[in-house]
Amino acid sequence: MRHSTKDNYLYLTTTPVPRLIVSLAVPTIISMLVTSFYNMADTYFVGKINTQSTAAVGIVFSVMSIIQAVGFFFGHGSGNYISRKLGAQETGNAEKMAATGFFGALFMGIFLAVVGLIFLTPLSLALGSTPTILPYTEKYLGIILLGAPFMTASLVLNNQIRFQGNAAYAMVGIVSGAVINVILDPILIFVFDMGISGAALATVISQICSFSLLLYMCRKGGNIRIRFRNFTPSLAFIKEIIGGGTPSLARQGLASVATILLNVAAGAYGDAAIAGMSIVTRIAMFINAFLIGFGQGFQPVCGFNYGAGLYARVRQGFWFCVKVGFIFLLVCALAGMGFAEEIVSLFRKGDPDVIAVGAAALRWQFITFPLGSWIVMSNMMLQTIRKPVKATIISSARQGLFFIPLIFILPHYLGLQGVEMCQATADLLTFILAIPLTCSVLNEMKRKQAEQL
């Protein structure tokens, strides 16, 4: 852990890149894995209730994606700016951006909670709830929305602390909340017999705990403190947040739309199909959590060194992350292909319809899994170094540009199999698109590097 802004600058611009990324990635990987694990915990424990509850958690996940999209929009938008300004040793602007991003996300979270609660029933239906799933969706969603302000603000704090090179502090806040959620899930669901409402309440309590701890962590390790007097919603800062955060908003927002369309498409084949696809989504997210966490360890390295004009270090870090990510995902894909039924049955044992749909979809997902390394690292690098157009194109492609039309086309011709293979097909097309977009920027940095010599 570092103890001042100056220490962070020297640490991030002089430490050997592979060792630096690994040291920063360990806490972010732990944060992502634990966060993803507690998302899976909801699915696991709710799966013990009934198929409708499992499906409801999957349906509400699209709303949580929207809430997360807002948090990542402000968090990445402000965090990218903060890392570049600290790299350029402009601390005053970084402090103003930290407050602007935090309070912007908090106010937007309150707005989402109020609107969502007012339109709870029509929103639940629009998300893809069938008549049998609707009561469970309303119970779960009604409570989840209460935590929206804490979720958006927590994501901002987590990203801002991480972009300052203090990922270990961010990890403490996120992991603590996740552990609380996993402990509370079985207690509230089964001991207090609250059912799906208990799962939602456990999630909200954990989010409040994470928020409180992260706010406290802002006072540690040389992190920028959040002060309301620094809240500066000027046009210049808003433009920076939009430029740096739009790729995240597009990625998460389209992920929400994609989840809704996936639930609607799967719903044509019954509640078991929705439940099966929901389980696969959580499994894929859990494995990808390692890749995203590893990439998040790269982002402060990328931002600081790009801001300092050290382009060779940015390129070296990018290629290192792509290689490590590819090998990891390849191993997971090969291992998972042979045990798809066993993996899915962990969440809904004794339900052959759910297992059949989930296993088939999981195998399709694993076919293109290793390609995600290039896609994710490309998107993170382009976003961090302020290439918003290219970053937004890549982040929008996987679950927007390609997935959305495919979820209409493939099921029309291939039925349920079309639903199961949709994400894998979208991933392949996104990989092809990302190659020229990323290589052009890598070559541009190489030219800048040569000009410095």
Side-chain angles (χ1 to χ4, degrees), residues 51-66:
T51 300
Q52 286 71 33
S53 293
T54 306
V57 171
I59 286 170
V60 174
F61 181 69
S62 58
V63 175
M64 294 181 73
S65 292
I66 292 174

Side-chain angles (χ1 to χ4, degrees), residues 91-229:
T91 307
N93 285 330
E95 290 177 344
K96 291 180 180 179
M97 178 58 86
T100 303
F102 172 80
F103 287 108
L106 184 66
F107 298 150
M108 185 58 70
I110 294 171
F111 172 78
L112 290 175
V114 171
V115 172
L117 289 170
I118 291 173
F119 298 101
L120 183 61
T121 299
L123 177 60
S124 299
L125 290 169
L127 295 172
S129 294
T130 64
T132 52
I133 296 173
L134 180 61
Y136 298 92
T137 303
E138 289 180 325
K139 287 180 182 178
Y140 191 74
L141 180 57
I143 297 173
I144 288 294
L145 285 168
L146 297 175
F150 301 101
M151 188 187 299
T152 54
S154 293
L155 288 169
V156 171
L157 292 173
N158 176 50
N159 281 287
Q160 288 183 353
I161 293 172
R162 181 172 57 79
F163 272 103
Q164 293 173 63
N166 290 319
Y169 290 102
M171 178 191 70
V172 171
I174 294 296
V175 170
S176 298
V179 171
I180 290 170
N181 187 86
V182 173
I183 293 172
L184 288 179
D185 258 337
I187 294 174
L188 296 180
I189 293 172
F190 303 116
V191 178
F192 287 91
D193 198 27
M194 294 179 67
I196 195 170
S197 297
L201 184 59
T203 299
V204 172
I205 292 173
S206 71
Q207 288 165 355
I208 294 173
C209 291
S210 285
F211 170 80
S212 302
L213 282 168
L214 286 166
L215 199 57
Y216 173 73
M217 288 299 165
C218 286
R219 299 174 175 270
K220 299 291 183 179
N223 287 314
I224 295 173
R225 292 191 178 191
I226 303 297
R227 295 183 172 92
F228 188 75
R229 66 170 180 265

Side-chain angles (χ1 to χ4, degrees), residues 70-88:
V70 172
F72 282 125
F73 172 73
F74 286 99
H76 286 165
S78 60
N80 289 329
Y81 179 88
I82 288 169
S83 70
R84 294 197 311 274
K85 290 303 174 182
L86 291 178

Side-chain angles (χ1 to χ4, degrees), residues 394-409:
I394 293 178
S395 65
S396 302
R398 184 173 182 265
Q399 293 183 305
L401 179 62
F402 295 124
F403 184 91
I404 290 176
L406 285 171
I407 198 62
F408 289 105
I409 296 169

